[in-house]
Amino acid sequence: MEGLGKLSCSMEKKDLKIINKGEDEEMELQGYCLCPWRLVLVGLGVLCTGGFLLLLLYWMPQWCVKFTCTRTTARDAEVVLMRSTDEFRTWFMARVQIMLAPGRNPFHSLETQTTSPFSSPASSMANGHNPHPSSDGPAQELIKRFADYQPVQIRYFCFHSSTYYWNDELQNFEVLIGVEDLRVSCSTLHLEHSAGLTRDQQEYRKLFFGVNEISVKVPSIFKLLIKEVLNPFYIFQLFSVILWTVDEYYYYAMAIVIMSVISIATSLYTVKKQYVMLHDMVAAHSIVRVSVCRNNNDIEEVLSTDLVPGDLLVIPSNGTIMPCDAVLVSGTCIVNESMLTGESVPVTKTNLPNPVSGERLEVTDDVYSTEEHKRHTLFCGTHIIQTRYYTDELVKAVVVRTGFSTAKGQLVRSILYPKPTDFKLYRDAYFFLLCLVGVAGIGFIYSIAFSVMNEVPAKTIIIESLDIITITVPPALPAALTAGIVYAQRRLKHLGIFCISPQRINICGQINLVCFDKTGTLTEDGLDLWGVQRVENGSFHLSEENAYKETLVKSQFVACMATCHSLTKIEGQLSGDPLDLKMFEATGWIMEEATEEETALHNHIMPTVFRPPKQLLPPEPAVSPEQDMELYELSSAYEIGIVRQFPFSSSLQRMTVVARLLGEKRMDAYMKGAPEMVASLCKRETVPENFAEVLEGYTKQGFRVIAMAHRRLESKLTWHKVQNINRDNIEANMDFLGLIIMQNKLKTETSGVLHDLHRAQIRTVMVTGDNMLTAISVARDCGMIPSEDTIIIADAIPPYNGQAAKITWRYADKPSKMPQMEEVNISLEDVCNVDELKTQPLYHFAMNGKSFSIIEEHFPDMLQKLVLRGTVFARMAPDQKTQLIEALQGVDYFVAMCGDGANDCGALKRAHGGISLSELEASVASPFTSRTPNISCVPNLIREGRAALITSFCVFKYMALYSIIQYISVTLLYSILSNLGDFQFLFIDIAIILLIVFTMSLNPAGEELVSRRPPSGLISGQLLCSVLTQILICLGFQAMTFFLVQQQTWYTVWTPLTDVCNQSSHNLSEHNETELDDHNIQNFENTSLFFVSCFQYLIVAIVFSKGKPFRQPTYKNWPFVVSVLGLYFFLLFIMFHHTEIIAEIVCVPFDWRVKLFFIILVNATVSVLMETFILDIVLWKLVFSRDKQGSFGLTPATPRPQVGIDRQDFNCLSWLCCRKKTPPKARYMHLAQELSVDPDWPPKPTTTTEAKPHPENGSTCQFLNIS
């Protein structure tokens, strides 16, 4: 049997498939077959449990599959069970369906297809789209049309808007993307895929790829309602309401129902509104009529929903919204990609280079990829503004991706199916509820046992025992917690911050690191031309303010400024990159673009022409009567026409244009780009010897520097040759022309906000696509890096020629002052080792995107330590920004990302709190969007997050105490076979609890961002001590009251005839007719406990409703103050003046009322002193202080107000903590502690670290990281 068990286990592991390997949606997959007898048993179980088992299986999909199915291979599965491989380990299930098709491979031609299983490269299917192959109509038509081919069964399942097909070759489920599945080269794409598809091929491929539509279905109200109502909390509320109704406790049941209905309605409205907004965003222009070329050169107009990968799309000249991803194979397009990048700057897209179209192979024949060839790819959802084309050739593009596989589709999928939010508060909340359930279980057993011993009727035993559970686990808890979030969301809205993910507000209260984009976030969007510095004969001229001069109008430097850009005219207005715009405007030149009519008159595209203003040109000699006027104008005109443009590439860091001066036979090439890159492509003798020093001087001052270069091309290069030549042949042996210096000013709010964050010990990091030295300069200017701190640049080199990867360390510059010594605070971990403490100079790491990727791949341990002091990350690509966020989260930082939407989408979504400063579509996935276009929103969000988090703690603690206080009262009363009455329950639950809960959440956020953070979870020492001490206090005073009342001389078992308030017998006859209390509600214990417990609810409300430092003082929350005072006066009134407002209260002697008042007064004093003095002052500051970030010196540029600890507290700390050293929980604290005593850290300048090919202990490098 043991052998069979091991065999079964090994079979399960062997058949475990991994789908989407290496991607964000990587999952483990297991196959199952439906089992009839298990289905029958589950059906019986559902009937026997009244449907509860069905609910359980709905909440736990893994149980549902394992209870109803048996294991089988993935190939034969009817149901697949999937589990994510991330830290959340979430379960999913899907039904496998079967489709009949004429063939297995969508890319095979039906005319040449055989019935054998496909084995082409296309069988390597990969991620993302949503076909609709379930309707057999089209499939049956194709099968009939191609009756010679035997139909084959194709197994698939749909999950998260993607369809996974079974691949026989890989023996796994995979997803089809599109043309990229074929891994075709650029030349093959031109030769084999640019002729278009036949109608049959299009219909055949549509079976696999489905309808080309990003369909966001807005669920019906009924579906949303069912999903919301089946939440475990609402099911528990339903159970409570039914129980209370049976117990004739109608009023509170009705109140809970009303609250639940309001909560559900609010949630449904919010969710429905978000779905509608997303649907409207996606649906706009999603279905349009497009023109496609069939393989017989016919142009056919079809709906965009019919497009499939491989279709040849004709781009209209008047522009359109792209309905798919397509690669240009002819012509040029000007595109607005703001939907994807957040930048509304038009981008020029050129046709994909065809290596074999020229006379020789001049272009490397790379495999086509949308990422690598994005300058030639038109993305779905982007706006085509203009097209340029040949007379006899239309602008054409081959469809490469459709539906959810497109760039826009992937963005929508990330919004529809976001990663779960992992936050300790929510995990602790469930654990805390389980503890309450455990307490309820004890009461449940006690109630049953005591009732059975006293021969209580069975119905009463059941109701009262179950009632203990509803008392201990408060059904109003979800509504109470939601109230605080709703109030915070409303306050954020008043501050101009809009939130689409309210649960993230609490998480923002824990943020201790903020990443900032630079351009448009820390600095202004626009650039100003500060000056130019020309080069002649290999040496720099003095810098000049501008180039708008008569002496320079015909210089190559000005010609380069006027022509080397990607500007275009849209409706008569110049449009394009702000840098290009400023540079061109500084020349004063005029740009003229050819119209469509002019283009049609020529054999090729009419060039865009640039010419200087007439006032800058030298005066012209008078024309003699003999001269031909037209010839004279031609000879005197100074115009430059663009022959070809090589667009700017971030990977190449440059752009180039080929231009021709009117009347000249030879052409000129002009280049601009990153100075280091441009200089490397120029003749050495034309680059000044002091080039590096001059460049460094500008970049250190925070200027953005652009270099210019020129080359006179050979006369043999004709127009046609230039159109096909590789840019590498042009961009070589250039003459260096000089530098353009642009100024990017800091926003006025930047320095102040960063100072506030540093003072609050919140780390700040810059992540930008800009130049390294410019980024460092801006970091110094804005205070992110103080002028006295050292900056260490990590330059990583990938492995080559058998040598390991290396990191070279160098200092960016010398600090302006002596390095500040970092004082390491004495923390709980340090107090017993004072001698080991050392001071270290403050330092920061900086690196570029290329180095970041190399370090991430070859030095993973090093990366963890570098991010502890990494402050500047330059030249970072969008995916690298996301990876940086993940690396920071990997060492337990709570990370916020603030960007203007430009290439920040992935990072904004991945961060704990993503704040977009742009209201464009690119920020639709960002949890927060600020209407104020500066970083002042960041401290506001953190303050509100902290206030919301503290409010959640207060509410949770208060609801827990409310439950326990009531539980204690009921348990004590059960011991005398009594209980609280319906009106007493009603008064407590509605008049006190609901009123207090909904007003105590109204405290606004504190005005100052303090240096300590609130706890991240409920299971923390300070919070647990707070709750437990208050529980013990309440228990003690209630028990004392309960037993004390029984010791009073006047005490007797209460009956309707009892009158301890007035011993005269004149009114006894009135009581004779009073009916006996069947439930024994009215008694002295009940009345005494009711008064004491009611005041306890108010006492703990005041004790828990804390103000400073995270919220404003409680007295400023006037609704709460009015509610508490009103309830105090009302309770005192009914206690000292007996009234029948609450019918179950009985009259007690006045001296006992006075004693009760003193008991309540002492209770309040003890509770307040315990919470405010013992916990807040002694334990919080000396034991539970968790803001250890300062203790490890992790906050650069922080004016540390709490550096170290006072000497007078040292002995106390030692006594409290030295007996048991507690290591820090956060990974970054642990690493910092290790590195604070590492003598080899930080790395010394000019040293090199090599990756170890075979690490001994799992580490990949010699050096480790940060102090």
Side-chain angles (χ1 to χ4, degrees):
M1 288 296 291
E2 186 180 347
L4 285 173
K6 287 182 178 177
L7 179 64
S8 172
C9 182
S10 66
M11 284 179 66
E12 284 200 11
K13 288 183 178 178
K14 186 178 178 182
D15 198 52
L16 188 72
K17 305 292 184 184
I18 303 293
I19 58 175
N20 303 324
K21 194 165 186 178
E23 298 175 18
D24 286 343
E25 283 191 311
E26 182 178 282
M27 286 181 291
E28 298 168 351
L29 180 143
Q30 300 173 5
Y32 286 84
C33 276
L34 290 170
C35 178
W37 65 266
R38 290 193 180 196
L39 286 168
V40 171
L41 285 178
V42 168
L44 290 173
V46 170
L47 290 175
C48 293
T49 58
F52 182 72
L53 179 60
L54 193 63
L55 274 175
L56 201 60
L57 298 182
Y58 170 78
W59 293 330
M60 311 288 283
Q62 68 273 30
W63 289 9
C64 179
V65 172
K66 291 175 181 178
F67 283 9
T68 58
C69 304
T70 55
R71 279 298 305 270
T72 186
T73 61
R75 178 190 175 90
D76 301 320
E78 295 177 4
V79 177
V80 289
L81 182 63
M82 296 166 285
R83 191 180 192 185
S84 63
T85 57
D86 57 18
E87 66 270 26
F88 305 104
R89 304 292 286 167
T90 314
W91 291 95
F92 305 97
M93 58 174 285
R95 286 293 302 270
V96 177
Q97 301 178 57
I98 296 175
M99 172 181 75
L100 288 176
R104 291 184 182 275
N105 186 350
F107 295 108
H108 276 179
S109 171
L110 290 176
E111 286 73 23
T112 60
Q113 179 182 331
T114 65
T115 55
S116 61
F118 65 91
S119 58
S120 78
S123 61
S124 301
M125 312 176 202
N127 66 37
H129 44 185
N130 183 23
H132 306 282
S134 53
S135 57
D136 289 334
Q140 292 298 332
E141 281 185 26
L142 278 173
I143 290 168
K144 288 176 184 175
R145 199 178 303 165
F146 295 90
D148 295 340
Y149 303 103
Q150 180 183 350
V152 291
Q153 287 189 345
I154 296 173
R155 306 176 72 85
Y156 69 95
F157 68 88
C158 299
F159 175 70
H160 282 183
S161 300
S162 295
T163 300
Y164 293 76
Y165 290 98
W166 177 256
N167 187 318
D168 275 329
E169 187 180 81
L170 297 179
Q171 287 294 297
N172 199 356
F173 284 98
E174 292 285 341
V175 186
L176 289 167
I177 296 179
V179 171
E180 286 171 280
D181 294 328
L182 294 169
R183 295 190 58 79
V184 292
S185 63
C186 296
S187 60
T188 306
L189 202 148
H190 272 281
L191 293 172
E192 299 179 11
H193 296 273
S194 59
L197 303 176
T198 64
R199 183 76 60 83
D200 289 341
Q201 286 175 324
Q202 185 265 335
E203 289 180 7
Y204 173 57
R205 289 190 185 184
K206 193 174 176 182
L207 288 178
F208 294 88
F209 293 104
V211 176
N212 174 36
E213 187 178 10
I214 302 171
S215 177
V216 178
K217 294 180 180 177
V218 180
S220 65
I221 291 291
F222 179 75
K223 282 186 179 178
L224 289 174
L225 179 64
I226 294 298
K227 188 176 179 181
E228 187 74 18
V229 167
L230 292 182
N231 184 294
F233 268 120
Y234 289 122
I235 296 299
F236 178 71
Q237 284 184 335
L238 179 64
F239 162 75
S240 303
V241 166
I242 293 170
L243 180 67
W244 294 331
T245 306
V246 171
D247 199 23
E248 299 178 355
Y249 184 36
Y250 300 117
Y251 299 103
Y252 188 59
M254 191 178 298
I256 288 294
V257 168
I258 291 170
M259 278 198 310
S260 298
V261 167
I262 292 172
S263 176
I264 290 170
T266 305
S267 177
L268 289 184
Y269 171 77
T270 305
V271 173
K272 181 87 173 178
K273 185 180 177 182
Q274 288 179 359
Y275 267 110
V276 169
M277 284 175 61
L278 185 59
H279 174 270
D280 292 345
M281 185 200 87
V282 172
H285 312 289
S286 63
I287 302 177
V288 294
R289 297 199 71 84
V290 294
S291 298
V292 294
C293 289
R294 295 299 176 202
N295 64 347
N296 56 2
N297 290 327
D298 287 343
I299 295 179
E300 181 180 325
E301 201 170 83
V302 298
L303 284 175
S304 58
T305 50
D306 293 328
L307 291 174
V308 296
D311 268 328
L312 188 61
L313 194 63
V314 178
I315 310 297
S317 58
N318 57 349
T320 184
I321 302 291
M322 282 299 294
C324 59
D325 287 356
V327 57
L328 272 172
V329 289
S330 66
T332 304
C333 291
I334 297 169
V335 187
N336 183 337
E337 292 188 325
S338 62
M339 196 284 299
L340 294 177
T341 65
E343 292 180 339
S344 55
V345 175
V347 179
T348 301
K349 302 277 184 169
T350 57
N351 60 302
L352 185 73
N354 185 2
V356 298
S357 64
E359 297 172 2
R360 57 192 177 92
L361 197 68
E362 294 176 320
V363 181
T364 54
D365 200 7
D366 297 326
V367 172
Y368 171 75
S369 159
T370 52
E371 182 60 34
E372 293 296 321
H373 297 90
K374 59 185 177 184
R375 280 291 176 182
H376 314 292
T377 304
L378 308 172
F379 292 103
C380 179
T382 58
H383 182 202
I384 310 296
I385 301 170
Q386 288 180 358
T387 62
R388 297 179 180 178
Y389 53 89
Y390 297 94
T391 304
D392 56 348
E393 190 172 354
L394 299 171
V395 177
K396 297 176 184 177
V398 176
V399 176
V400 290
R401 293 184 179 188
T402 57
F404 277 98
S405 293
T406 61
K408 184 178 180 180
Q410 294 292 350
L411 175 63
V412 173
R413 283 184 74 243
S414 68
I415 300 169
L416 286 174
Y417 314 107
K419 268 194 170 185
T421 302
D422 182 33
F423 189 38
K424 197 170 183 290
L425 170 66
Y426 303 128
R427 283 183 276 123
D428 288 354
Y430 284 109
F431 179 77
F432 207 83
L433 285 175
L434 284 176
C435 293
L436 291 179
V437 169
V439 173
I442 296 170
F444 180 78
I445 295 167
Y446 161 80
S447 173
I448 292 176
F450 196 85
S451 299
V452 169
M453 289 168 59
N454 287 275
E455 298 179 354
V456 176
K459 179 186 175 183
T460 307
I461 292 175
I462 293 170
I463 290 175
E464 290 186 348
S465 302
L466 292 174
D467 199 31
I468 282 279
I469 297 174
T470 65
I471 287 170
T472 316
V473 184
L477 182 60
L481 289 172
T482 303
I485 299 293
V486 170
Y487 295 151
Q489 192 173 4
R490 190 174 65 186
R491 291 194 298 267
L492 283 172
K493 189 175 181 181
H494 289 156
L495 292 170
I497 301 171
F498 298 92
C499 174
I500 63 170
S501 180
Q503 295 304 321
R504 296 275 186 133
I505 297 175
N506 272 341
I507 301 177
C508 288
Q510 279 298 303
I511 285 170
N512 56 357
L513 186 148
V514 186
C515 293
F516 291 100
D517 181 38
K518 184 180 77 69
T519 308
T521 303
L522 297 174
T523 61
E524 298 287 354
D525 273 319
L527 290 163
D528 295 319
L529 183 71
W530 181 85
V532 298
Q533 191 154 9
R534 295 182 296 116
V535 168
E536 282 186 11
N537 301 321
S539 60
F540 279 113
H541 283 262
L542 293 175
S543 60
E544 300 165 89
E545 198 170 317
N546 59 61
Y548 188 79
K549 298 176 181 177
E550 289 184 15
T551 54
L552 300 179
V553 68
K554 291 190 177 183
S555 67
Q556 299 292 2
F557 187 89
V558 171
C560 187
M561 288 180 66
T563 59
C564 193
H565 51 72
S566 57
L567 298 178
T568 185
K569 277 193 174 180
I570 299 172
E571 296 180 356
Q573 295 293 319
L574 275 176
S575 182
D577 186 275
L579 184 147
D580 287 346
L581 204 55
K582 286 286 184 183
M583 182 181 72
F584 180 72
E585 287 173 351
T587 65
W589 283 41
I590 299 162
M591 172 180 173
E592 290 182 356
E593 286 187 327
T595 63
E596 291 180 25
E597 293 78 11
E598 289 172 334
T599 302
L601 297 174
H602 296 79
N603 292 329
H604 51 75
I605 300 175
M606 275 285 288
T608 301
V609 173
F610 300 93
R611 54 183 173 80
K614 289 184 178 179
Q615 58 267 31
L616 284 185
L617 291 172
E620 300 164 1
V623 57
S624 61
E626 299 87 31
Q627 283 184 288
D628 188 302
M629 193 66 185
E630 287 187 11
L631 286 175
Y632 169 77
E633 287 180 357
L634 188 64
S635 63
S636 62
Y638 188 82
E639 293 182 353
I640 301 176
I642 304 301
V643 178
R644 188 178 178 190
Q645 184 184 93
F646 297 99
F648 176 80
S649 166
S650 55
S651 59
L652 298 177
Q653 299 180 353
R654 62 184 183 270
M655 83 163 289
T656 302
V657 294
V658 177
R660 174 184 279 162
L661 180 64
L662 183 66
E664 289 282 338
K665 290 185 178 180
R666 293 172 67 179
M667 301 183 195
D668 296 278
Y670 296 103
M671 179 204 296
K672 75 170 170 59
E676 303 91 341
M677 176 58 68
V678 171
S680 69
L681 298 172
C682 290
K683 299 172 189 173
R684 185 172 297 179
E685 62 270 17
T686 66
V687 181
E689 291 181 2
N690 61 340
F691 165 77
E693 291 82 359
V694 171
L695 175 62
E696 187 176 358
Y698 285 125
T699 53
K700 280 182 180 178
Q701 296 176 60
F703 293 117
R704 184 168 180 180
V705 183
I706 306 296
M708 298 286 195
H710 162 260
R711 176 184 165 189
R712 187 82 161 157
L713 298 179
E714 298 81 2
S715 57
K716 65 178 182 180
L717 280 175
T718 62
W719 187 93
H720 288 286
K721 285 183 179 179
V722 167
Q723 299 308 313
N724 295 315
I725 197 169
N726 180 14
R727 69 186 296 171
D728 291 340
N729 294 333
I730 298 286
E731 297 170 335
N733 296 317
M734 309 283 284
D735 293 330
F736 193 78
L737 293 177
L739 304 173
I740 297 177
I741 301 99
M742 311 293 286
Q743 190 175 25
N744 194 193
K745 296 177 182 176
L746 283 175
K747 289 184 177 179
T748 53
E749 302 83 4
T750 297
S751 297
V753 170
L754 292 180
H755 176 74
D756 291 343
L757 293 175
H758 292 157
R759 192 173 56 188
Q761 297 196 353
I762 295 171
R763 269 191 68 192
T764 54
V765 171
M766 183 189 297
V767 49
T768 176
D770 207 344
N771 171 277
M772 168 76 77
L773 292 177
T774 302
I776 289 173
S777 172
V778 171
R780 284 209 188 276
D781 289 345
C782 67
M784 193 176 283
I785 300 177
S787 56
E788 65 271 12
D789 289 2
T790 302
I791 301 172
I792 305 171
I793 296 179
D795 287 325
I797 304 168
Y800 66 98
N801 294 336
Q803 296 185 4
K806 296 179 182 178
I807 304 176
T808 302
W809 310 96
R810 60 185 175 90
Y811 285 179
D813 52 14
K814 292 183 180 179
S816 59
K817 305 175 187 174
M818 287 299 293
Q820 178 183 337
M821 302 310 285
E822 177 180 0
E823 185 172 353
V824 182
N825 297 350
I826 302 174
S827 67
L828 296 186
E829 291 74 23
D830 301 323
V831 291
C832 304
N833 299 287
V834 180
D835 294 336
E836 296 178 12
L837 297 176
K838 66 174 187 176
T839 56
Q840 302 168 351
L842 283 171
Y843 59 91
H844 307 258
F845 286 106
M847 68 190 76
N848 58 29
K850 181 181 175 183
S851 295
F852 177 83
S853 295
I854 294 167
I855 293 170
E856 185 181 42
E857 182 179 355
H858 300 284
F859 301 84
D861 289 350
M862 174 74 79
L863 181 66
Q864 282 200 339
K865 296 174 175 65
L866 282 174
V867 295
L868 262 71
R869 281 294 189 186
T871 304
V872 175
F873 296 85
R875 297 291 189 207
M876 296 286 278
D879 57 326
Q880 290 171 336
K881 291 184 180 182
T882 308
Q883 289 160 10
L884 174 62
I885 299 292
E886 291 171 349
L888 290 165
Q889 290 171 336
V891 290
D892 297 337
Y893 276 113
F894 283 88
V895 185
M897 172 71 194
C898 183
D900 61 351
N903 303 322
D904 299 322
C905 291
L908 288 169
K909 285 183 290 186
R910 191 69 189 94
H912 291 109
I915 315 160
S916 171
L917 303 185
S918 164
E919 295 186 51
L920 295 169
E921 288 176 310
S923 302
V924 74
S926 178
F928 302 95
T929 300
S930 172
R931 185 171 283 175
T932 308
N934 60 61
I935 64 171
S936 61
C937 59
V938 175
N940 288 336
L941 178 61
I942 296 174
R943 284 190 303 103
E944 289 295 345
R946 289 180 175 184
L949 186 56
I950 288 295
T951 298
S952 295
F953 288 144
C954 292
V955 169
F956 211 101
K957 286 162 60 180
Y958 181 69
M959 294 301 284
L961 259 295
Y962 146 64
S963 300
I964 296 298
I965 291 169
Q966 200 168 80
Y967 172 79
I968 293 168
S969 301
V970 171
T971 305
L972 288 171
L973 291 174
Y974 273 9
S975 67
I976 58 169
L977 299 180
S978 180
N979 199 351
L980 292 171
D982 286 353
F983 281 101
Q984 289 175 323
F985 273 126
L986 193 66
F987 176 77
I988 292 169
D989 293 342
I990 293 180
I992 297 181
I993 303 304
L994 293 186
L995 187 62
I996 293 299
V997 160
F998 288 122
T999 55
M1000 77 187 301
S1001 302
L1002 288 169
N1003 271 39
E1007 294 179 357
E1008 184 184 355
L1009 196 62
V1010 295
S1011 61
R1012 81 180 191 207
R1013 290 182 292 129
S1016 61
L1018 290 164
I1019 313 301
S1020 63
Q1022 193 263 350
L1023 289 175
L1024 285 178
C1025 274
S1026 174
V1027 171
L1028 290 174
T1029 52
Q1030 294 301 326
I1031 287 174
L1032 291 174
I1033 291 168
C1034 292
L1035 173 63
F1037 280 96
Q1038 280 203 50
M1040 182 177 71
T1041 304
F1042 182 77
F1043 292 114
L1044 200 58
V1045 72
Q1046 295 174 348
Q1047 306 301 320
Q1048 300 302 304
T1049 55
W1050 48 265
Y1051 176 80
T1052 183
V1053 176
W1054 189 90
T1055 67
L1057 300 177
T1058 304
D1059 185 8
V1060 295
C1061 295
N1062 184 2
Q1063 296 297 329
S1064 62
S1065 59
H1066 71 273
N1067 59 352
L1068 288 179
S1069 59
E1070 297 177 10
H1071 291 288
N1072 288 338
E1073 298 175 2
T1074 306
E1075 294 182 6
L1076 293 174
D1077 181 8
D1078 294 334
H1079 297 286
N1080 190 25
I1081 300 296
Q1082 292 179 296
N1083 52 63
F1084 298 122
E1085 292 90 344
N1086 172 295
T1087 299
S1088 300
L1089 287 179
F1090 173 74
F1091 282 127
V1092 171
S1093 65
C1094 282
F1095 278 103
Q1096 283 181 340
Y1097 296 130
L1098 298 178
I1099 291 165
V1100 295
I1102 293 171
V1103 165
F1104 287 160
S1105 185
K1106 296 177 183 176
K1108 291 185 176 181
F1110 305 113
R1111 303 196 300 173
Q1112 289 187 24
T1114 304
Y1115 64 80
K1116 289 190 176 183
N1117 182 359
W1118 64 264
F1120 175 72
V1121 173
V1122 170
S1123 302
V1124 170
L1125 290 177
L1127 286 167
Y1128 264 121
F1129 286 124
F1130 177 77
L1131 285 171
L1132 287 171
F1133 172 75
I1134 64 172
M1135 188 171 77
F1136 284 102
H1137 180 76
H1138 179 64
T1139 177
E1140 294 187 0
I1141 295 175
I1142 298 176
E1144 293 92 349
I1145 296 176
V1146 299
C1147 185
V1148 294
F1150 184 79
D1151 62 333
W1152 177 241
R1153 299 177 203 174
V1154 173
K1155 288 178 182 177
L1156 283 178
F1157 177 73
F1158 278 109
I1159 289 171
I1160 291 161
L1161 204 59
V1162 174
N1163 186 344
T1165 305
V1166 172
S1167 292
V1168 171
L1169 284 176
M1170 179 60 71
E1171 184 74 16
T1172 57
F1173 180 75
I1174 303 297
L1175 291 176
D1176 283 0
I1177 296 176
V1178 179
L1179 293 180
W1180 175 280
K1181 290 190 177 178
L1182 298 183
V1183 179
F1184 296 124
S1185 179
R1186 62 179 302 285
D1187 186 27
K1188 300 173 187 172
Q1189 185 174 345
S1191 300
F1192 297 97
L1194 291 178
T1195 309
T1198 306
R1200 296 172 179 80
Q1202 299 173 346
V1203 174
I1205 58 172
D1206 294 336
R1207 196 69 193 168
Q1208 60 191 6
D1209 295 330
F1210 179 73
N1211 293 331
C1212 179
L1213 264 176
S1214 302
W1215 178 80
L1216 285 168
C1217 309
C1218 289
R1219 288 172 296 171
K1220 183 179 179 181
K1221 288 177 69 176
T1222 306
K1225 291 182 181 179
R1227 175 71 176 152
Y1228 69 86
M1229 293 182 185
H1230 183 70
L1231 291 173
Q1233 192 181 40
E1234 286 180 357
L1235 295 169
S1236 65
V1237 293
D1238 186 348
D1240 295 325
W1241 195 264
K1244 304 298 184 289
T1246 70
T1247 60
T1248 301
T1249 302
E1250 286 193 9
K1252 289 184 178 179
H1254 299 291
E1256 296 175 6
N1257 58 352
S1259 178
T1260 54
C1261 51
Q1262 184 69 36
F1263 276 105
L1264 290 179
N1265 200 358
I1266 288 171
S1267 61

